Amino acid sequence: GNAEKVELVNDQIVLSFSKNLDPQKLYTLRIEGLKICNLVLPIFETKLFDQKEIKTGDIVINEILFNPKEGGVDFVELYNQTEFPINLQNFKLGNRVITNQFFLLEAKQYLAITTNKKIIAQHYPNAIQENIFETASLPPYTNQQGVVTLFSDQNILIDSVYYSADMHSKHLIDPKGISLERTNNAENTFHSASTVYGGATPGYQNSTMELNIPQNKIYLTSNTFSPNDDGYEDELEINYELIHPNYIIAVEIYNEKGQLVKKLAHQNLAGTHGKIIWDGKTDAGQRSARGHYISFAQIFDHNGKTQNFKQPFVLINSLTRH
C-alpha cells in the first residue's frame, strides 16, 4: 500500500503507514517521484525485513552428502528449527559465503545447498526443487572425514557437525551417493539415508528421522487395488514405520499358489519410514491377473535379528482380460 504520510524530520524522511507492518514479512519499499531541490531522484527499491536475533542451534545442519555418485556434487542441507524466517545473506558454510543476496529460509524449511542443482535433481529425482539452492562454491568435504560448519552473517557459529565414512551403516557395501542424515533434532546423531529413498533426501524430511514408536509396523494403505489406470488405487502401497534406521528391508509379492510374482525391494537400507509401491506388474513386466496375493516383507538388523510381515490383499481389476 501507499504511505499515509511522508514527513521531513531533522533531515530524515519519515514514512507513516495506516497499518502496522508484520516484522517477519518481507516488504519491498519502492520510492518514485521524489524531488530534492527540483531534482527528480531515480526510482529505487529497498527491502524491509526485521530479522530476529539468530542464536546457535536456530538452524541445524540436517544432511550431508560428502561422497557423491560418479560425476556428482556434494550438498549440505539446512533446517530452520525456529518459528520465524531467517535471511541467509552473508551466512557461510566453512569459509564460503552461501549468498550475498537477500534470501529467506522460511520457518521449518529444509534447504539443500550445492554447486549444481541440476545434477542433484538428476541423481535424486525425489528432491524438492524449490528447496535446493545453488551456491558458487562449497568447502572441500573429503570422502573419509571432515567438519561442516555454519556461521551467521555476524560470524556466530550456528551449527557444526563432524562426519566420517565410519558413521555409515555397516550394511552399506558402497556408500557412494548415500548421504548422512540427522536422526534426531535434539541430538547430533546421524545415519545413512535410506536406499529405498534413493540414498538422500535433498530438500525434505529425512528418511531416518526417529519416530519414537514402541514396535515395528508394516501395513498396506488398502487391502484391495486395481491397476487399471483410472486414478483410484492403481498401486499397492506397502508402508513401514521402524524403531531405528539400520534395518535392511526386502519385499516380495506372491500369488495364491505361493509363486513369487515380483521382488519389490531387495537388501534395501530402510530408514525409519517409507512406502514401497507395486504397480501390478510381474518381474517379467507382465500385468498380473486379478486374484488373491500376499505381500511378504522381511526386515533384519546388523545383529541378524529378523522380523517377517505378511499381508494378504486382492488385485480386483487389471487391464488384462480373463
Side-chain angles (χ1 to χ4, degrees):
N2 294 328
E4 293 281 292
K5 203 161 66 167
V6 182
E7 302 172 278
L8 197 62
V9 180
N10 299 336
D11 287 340
Q12 288 185 324
I13 295 170
V14 177
L15 306 178
S16 306
F17 293 92
S18 56
K19 58 178 186 181
N20 287 341
L21 300 184
D22 179 346
Q24 290 310 299
K25 259 204 178 132
L26 170 63
Y27 295 92
T28 301
L29 181 65
R30 180 182 165 93
I31 296 178
E32 53 183 285
L34 186 63
K35 276 187 187 174
I36 294 180
C37 307
N38 284 335
L39 181 68
V40 179
L41 296 183
I43 295 170
F44 74 95
E45 288 187 353
T46 184
K47 290 187 171 17
L48 299 180
F49 180 73
D50 183 16
Q51 179 64 69
K52 284 197 179 178
E53 188 194 346
I54 300 151
K55 303 184 300 298
T56 299
D58 282 353
I59 300 173
V60 291
I61 294 159
N62 194 54
E63 185 174 357
I64 309 158
L65 179 71
F66 54 89
N67 185 356
K69 296 178 186 180
E70 282 306 317
V73 285
D74 293 350
F75 75 77
V76 172
E77 183 187 69
L78 306 179
Y79 176 64
N80 180 356
Q81 299 205 92
T82 72
E83 300 297 328
F84 53 85
I86 296 173
N87 177 15
L88 291 181
Q89 188 171 19
N90 296 326
F91 273 54
K92 286 188 294 198
L93 281 167
N95 58 359
R96 313 294 168 99
V97 173
I98 295 168
T99 177
N100 49 26
Q101 305 292 311
F102 186 96
F103 185 86
L104 280 188
L105 178 65
E106 298 294 343
K108 310 299 179 196
Q109 184 190 350
Y110 298 90
L111 188 72
I113 297 166
T114 184
T115 54
N116 194 317
K117 186 172 173 172
K118 197 170 157 198
I119 285 179
I120 294 294
Q122 279 168 0
H123 286 186
Y124 305 100
N126 295 331
I128 308 287
Q129 291 303 301
E130 57 269 30
N131 291 346
I132 302 175
F133 185 83
E134 197 167 283
T135 188
S137 73
L138 286 174
Y141 299 124
T142 63
N143 292 352
Q144 286 315 305
Q145 60 180 15
V147 178
V148 182
T149 51
L150 175 69
F151 293 93
S152 76
D153 56 340
Q154 306 296 314
N155 255 0
I156 298 164
L157 180 64
I158 302 297
D159 195 19
S160 71
V161 171
Y162 164 78
Y163 71 84
S164 109
D166 296 340
M167 291 161 72
H168 272 303
S169 166
K170 302 293 175 277
H171 292 309
L172 274 184
I173 297 156
D174 182 8
K176 233 179 185 14
I178 311 288
S179 69
L180 281 177
E181 295 180 323
R182 184 181 287 272
T183 61
N184 187 319
N185 278 348
E187 298 161 29
N188 238 352
T189 53
F190 281 75
H191 193 276
S192 308
S194 161
T195 55
V196 172
Y197 279 80
T201 55
Y204 60 106
Q205 188 196 41
N206 292 349
S207 64
T208 60
M209 190 55 74
E210 285 175 358
L211 305 176
N212 297 320
I213 52 172
Q215 63 186 43
N216 295 318
K217 290 194 289 189
I218 297 188
Y219 58 94
L220 305 179
T221 302
S222 167
N223 56 8
T224 60
F225 92 119
S226 51
N228 56 3
D229 300 336
D230 69 349
Y232 177 70
E233 290 189 351
D234 283 328
E235 296 176 320
L236 182 77
E237 296 180 346
I238 303 151
N239 308 281
Y240 62 88
E241 294 173 10
L242 307 177
I243 296 167
H244 64 71
N246 203 26
Y247 285 103
I248 289 285
I249 190 167
V251 180
E252 296 170 338
I253 304 292
Y254 290 87
N255 65 18
E256 56 194 335
K257 292 176 187 157
Q259 296 160 322
L260 177 63
V261 174
K262 178 76 181 174
K263 258 191 174 149
L264 283 178
H266 180 62
Q267 309 292 28
N268 280 82
L269 194 57
T272 50
H273 63 283
K275 192 182 282 188
I276 290 167
I277 302 289
W278 185 40
D279 61 4
K281 288 186 183 155
T282 66
D283 274 331
Q286 306 292 314
R287 287 182 180 271
S288 298
R290 66 180 83 165
H292 291 259
Y293 290 82
I294 285 175
S295 156
F296 178 71
Q298 188 173 60
I299 59 170
F300 56 91
D301 61 18
H302 50 291
N303 301 322
K305 193 168 159 234
T306 304
Q307 256 183 293
N308 296 334
F309 299 81
K310 283 183 185 177
Q311 266 94 18
F313 64 93
V314 183
L315 195 163
I316 52 177
N317 188 2
S318 171
L319 284 178
T320 50
R321 292 188 178 86
H322 283 278

